[in-house]
Amino acid sequence: MSLSQYDRVAFDFAGRELVGDAVNYHPAADVNGPDGLLVVDVDGERYRVAESQAEQLDR
């Protein structure tokens, strides 16, 4: 996967559903497991979330 596949994504963070823009992507590595990590900007705050836990939203 790559960042180009993502635009707006939704994900759960501490029981809240957050929505933001994917701004960076880190490929999967042995330590992270099979998922890559997305860096998502939510109102100026950056969150890292596993690909499997992020839902791509339609525009």
Side-chain angles (χ1 to χ4, degrees), residues 32-52:
N32 296 333
D35 283 339
L37 290 176
L38 290 170
V39 178
V40 182
D41 183 289
V42 179
D43 298 328
E45 297 291 326
R46 299 278 171 106
Y47 296 85
R48 293 190 326 175
V49 60
E51 282 182 279
S52 65

Side-chain angles (χ1 to χ4, degrees), residues 15-36:
R16 299 180 324 187
E17 177 145 323
L18 299 180
V19 176
D21 298 314
V23 294
N24 204 348
Y25 174 80
H26 301 282
D30 293 338
V31 175
N32 296 333
D35 283 339

